[in-house]
Amino acid sequence: MGIILVLGLAIVFKPLQSIKFYGFEYEDSFISSHVSSQENLIPFIKEFRTQGCESRVNGKCISVSSYTGHYVSYSAYLFTVAKIFDVQNQYLIHKFGNALLFGLCFLLIFVLYKDNLLGITLMFSFISCLPVVYVLNSGLIENLSFCVALIFILSLHQHILKRNKLWLWVSFALLLLLVVVKRENLIYLSTLILINPKSLARNLGFLFFIFCLILSQYIINPFYTEGLEANYLGRSTFSIDYFIFQFPTYLVSFFRFDGFFILLIFILLSKKPSKNSLILISIWLAFIILYSFHYRGQYAIEAGKITHFESFRYMFNTLPLLIGYMIFGKKNNNQIFKNIVYPLTLIMCLFLTFNNFDMLKEFGREEFTEYHSVNKKIDLLPKGDKKIAIHDNFVLISMLNSNNKLIDIISAQKNYLEFHKDKENILINRFDIIDIDSFNEVYEFELIDELSSNGVKVYYFKECF
């Protein structure tokens, strides 16, 4: 057991152990690490959503902007981890936090199912899937959501198996936590149909749970987020148009070798279906459909597509329900399965696990080149008597990469640049999002070749006279 636990934790720490890496879905990864690394969490919370600093002057944040789709739960969790373990490097906070989550899931499964080889084999399948390696190495809220959901499914199973009311109370507490981590997790409320309705109605804990649920959702108001995002997009956040191009990609990810195929086949073959397991796999499919109708980002809407790789993060969040199908299923005593599928699964899992390390390292090198290296170069520029004002169209990246009080950091907008007359003004134009020609009547721009790269153009700029 100890060996497998160490292997699981190594998945989080071994790849990119010395490389500054926040992970794919960069805006979400950056905001979690940014908020969790602050001295005080309160200024970066508004109506249970995260806020990020958009202007930092003399080392202090003077203005913030809201990230409407992000509940603060994961950032608050990472903030707590950073303070308890005194993690100073921002890019390590999520790795510590994710390793703790991952280790907790491992330990609980080993304690509850220690005599079941199936549970151990499942963990190998779990860690070998690409989303586990990539998502657990990223600062994404799905890490917290997945682990809480998996422990919730285990608790629910223990209650139904042992008729222990304590496990039912634990299930209620975890379900409350789930719905304040991600608004999509409200679908987990449907799992309560596994419990006898008469016993629920007589349970005071259930009535208390309902009260807390209504109160939490009234305070958080998930519909408020949808309204904000709809205004930002200029269209509905749910649409059949999204479903048309997203659902096939999500579904196909469970039938690709480099996706969830091994896990899916193992789970479907390892157990015979029961009434409860069929209910859970139905909820799992409904969860995928729910994800498919909801937009997954501005780029996905404009391009009208979502890549197989992008599906890893979102489908990772549905896996506890799929694993629940196996946990609640009936025993499969097929000897061929045990003699052939078990060893074959382990071999493929080990192959995928170590094969993915190289890809993660490549991600780390690419992220450093396209996101972080420019700030390292700017930090080395001679300052003299004049301070530097960095204008970044992805301002969180500069916030995470520079703590120099001689460098002020300001958010650069497509149609507005806040020029500082008493400083050396530098524009970091990532991915050419800002059309600098539209500013030619106001500012003169000089490309800085030694600071620029393929994805990042860096300019000195000054006012025209």
Side-chain angles (χ1 to χ4, degrees):
M1 184 182 83
I3 294 175
I4 298 177
L5 179 60
V6 170
L7 174 62
L9 297 179
I11 294 296
V12 181
F13 275 102
K14 181 59 180 174
L16 313 173
Q17 59 185 349
S18 58
I19 299 176
K20 185 178 290 187
F21 182 77
Y22 294 92
F24 58 76
E25 295 290 341
Y26 290 112
E27 180 184 274
D28 293 358
S29 300
F30 290 150
I31 187 63
S32 295
S33 297
H34 168 68
V35 173
S36 64
S37 64
Q38 302 303 314
E39 288 298 320
N40 185 2
L41 193 64
I42 301 302
F44 298 92
I45 302 175
K46 182 181 180 181
E47 296 175 327
F48 206 72
R49 277 80 176 171
T50 54
Q51 295 192 119
C53 185
E54 63 176 7
S55 294
R56 192 172 74 197
V57 177
N58 297 324
K60 294 183 179 180
C61 181
I62 61 172
S63 65
V64 295
S65 57
S66 179
Y67 287 73
T68 56
H70 302 77
Y71 284 177
V72 77
S73 310
Y74 182 58
S75 297
Y77 164 71
L78 294 182
F79 175 85
T80 305
V81 169
K83 292 296 176 279
I84 292 174
F85 294 97
D86 193 28
V87 184
Q88 298 298 321
N89 291 326
Q90 293 167 320
Y91 72 95
L92 289 179
I93 295 175
H94 65 270
K95 293 179 79 67
F96 271 93
N98 296 344
L100 287 172
L101 291 171
F102 199 30
L104 178 61
C105 287
F106 260 47
L107 283 172
L108 186 60
I109 287 178
F110 285 132
V111 169
L112 296 179
Y113 306 98
K114 56 181 178 294
D115 298 326
N116 187 355
L117 179 61
L118 189 62
I120 297 175
T121 309
L122 170 63
M123 284 299 98
F124 272 104
S125 300
F126 169 46
I127 63 176
S128 71
C129 293
L130 295 178
V132 175
V133 179
Y134 300 154
V135 178
L136 278 171
N137 275 278
S138 302
L140 296 172
I141 198 169
E142 279 75 13
N143 294 299
L144 179 60
S145 179
F146 171 88
C147 291
V148 174
L150 181 59
I151 297 173
F152 163 70
I153 293 293
L154 296 175
S155 301
L156 200 59
H157 181 244
Q158 290 297 306
H159 165 68
I160 294 173
L161 189 67
K162 300 176 180 178
R163 302 297 175 186
N164 187 320
K165 288 187 178 180
L166 178 60
W167 280 112
L168 182 61
W169 279 75
V170 171
S171 300
F172 288 152
L174 290 168
L175 192 50
L176 277 175
L177 182 57
L178 261 179
V179 297
V180 299
V181 169
K182 282 180 71 70
R183 59 191 186 278
E184 297 98 311
N185 290 342
L186 287 166
I187 198 170
Y188 277 95
L189 294 172
S190 59
T191 60
L192 293 179
I193 63 177
L194 299 178
I195 304 173
N196 187 299
K198 290 183 179 179
S199 66
L200 273 182
R202 294 194 300 265
N203 190 290
L204 290 177
F206 178 67
L207 297 178
F208 182 69
F209 162 75
I210 292 297
F211 170 76
C212 292
L213 175 68
I214 295 173
L215 181 63
S216 67
Q217 294 309 295
Y218 174 77
I219 294 172
I220 296 174
N221 189 3
F223 302 106
Y224 170 71
T225 299
E226 297 299 327
L228 289 176
E229 293 183 338
N231 288 334
Y232 171 75
L233 294 170
R235 59 187 297 175
S236 174
T237 55
F238 285 87
S239 172
I240 187 68
D241 294 333
Y242 311 152
F243 178 85
I244 291 172
F245 68 82
Q246 290 185 151
F247 181 69
T249 305
Y250 290 151
L251 206 57
V252 167
S253 69
F254 288 92
F255 295 92
R256 290 179 53 143
F257 181 75
D258 60 345
F260 300 95
F261 180 70
I262 294 176
L263 182 61
L264 178 68
I265 293 301
F266 177 81
I267 286 176
L268 294 180
L269 293 180
S270 64
K271 289 289 187 74
K272 294 179 180 179
S274 66
K275 178 184 176 182
N276 286 342
S277 68
L278 289 174
I279 290 174
L280 286 174
I281 204 168
S282 298
I283 298 173
W284 168 71
L285 184 59
F287 204 1
I288 296 176
I289 293 172
L290 175 67
Y291 262 114
S292 302
F293 274 105
H294 194 259
Y295 89 102
R296 289 297 119 196
Q298 184 72 33
Y299 173 78
I301 292 176
E302 294 178 358
K305 64 179 181 180
I306 189 169
T307 66
H308 164 63
F309 194 82
E310 290 175 287
S311 70
F312 290 165
R313 169 188 179 181
Y314 307 114
M315 293 304 97
F316 177 53
N317 199 41
T318 71
L319 290 186
L321 290 164
L322 185 60
I323 295 172
Y325 169 86
M326 189 197 73
I327 293 173
F328 280 86
K330 299 176 182 178
K331 285 186 178 181
N332 185 347
N333 295 318
N334 190 326
Q335 201 62 36
I336 296 177
F337 175 81
K338 294 182 178 179
N339 293 338
I340 297 178
V341 177
Y342 270 38
L344 187 61
T345 300
L346 289 176
I347 292 170
M348 288 189 291
C349 288
L350 288 171
F351 169 76
L352 283 174
T353 299
F354 291 105
N355 184 63
N356 292 332
F357 279 18
D358 288 337
M359 188 176 290
L360 264 172
K361 290 176 182 177
E362 181 59 34
F363 288 163
R365 287 190 288 268
E366 181 180 343
E367 181 182 318
F368 181 78
T369 301
E370 297 299 329
Y371 289 90
H372 309 305
S373 63
V374 58
N375 294 102
K376 186 175 181 179
K377 295 173 183 176
I378 291 175
D379 277 348
L380 297 175
L381 289 175
K383 307 298 186 298
D385 296 329
K386 205 170 190 181
K387 292 179 67 175
I388 292 176
I390 295 178
H391 305 258
D392 194 339
N393 59 329
F394 278 74
V395 69
L396 284 181
I397 304 172
S398 287
M399 294 286 179
L400 288 167
N401 280 299
S402 179
N403 294 314
N404 194 326
K405 291 187 178 181
L406 294 176
I407 298 178
D408 293 338
I409 301 172
I410 300 99
S411 178
Q413 309 296 325
K414 282 186 177 181
N415 56 359
Y416 178 71
L417 292 176
E418 182 185 341
F419 186 79
H420 289 237
K421 292 185 177 181
D422 57 336
K423 301 181 178 87
E424 186 78 75
N425 289 266
I426 296 178
L427 170 64
I428 303 178
N429 189 12
R430 302 179 193 270
F431 311 110
D432 288 323
I433 289 177
I434 294 179
D435 180 11
I436 64 170
D437 291 337
S438 64
F439 291 97
N440 280 344
E441 294 183 2
V442 184
Y443 303 118
E444 294 179 2
F445 293 89
E446 177 188 348
L447 180 67
I448 312 174
D449 288 321
E450 61 270 24
L451 300 183
S452 302
S453 64
N454 290 333
V456 183
K457 295 293 185 293
V458 185
Y459 303 87
Y460 288 120
F461 70 100
K462 59 184 178 181
E463 290 179 307
C464 295
F465 294 99

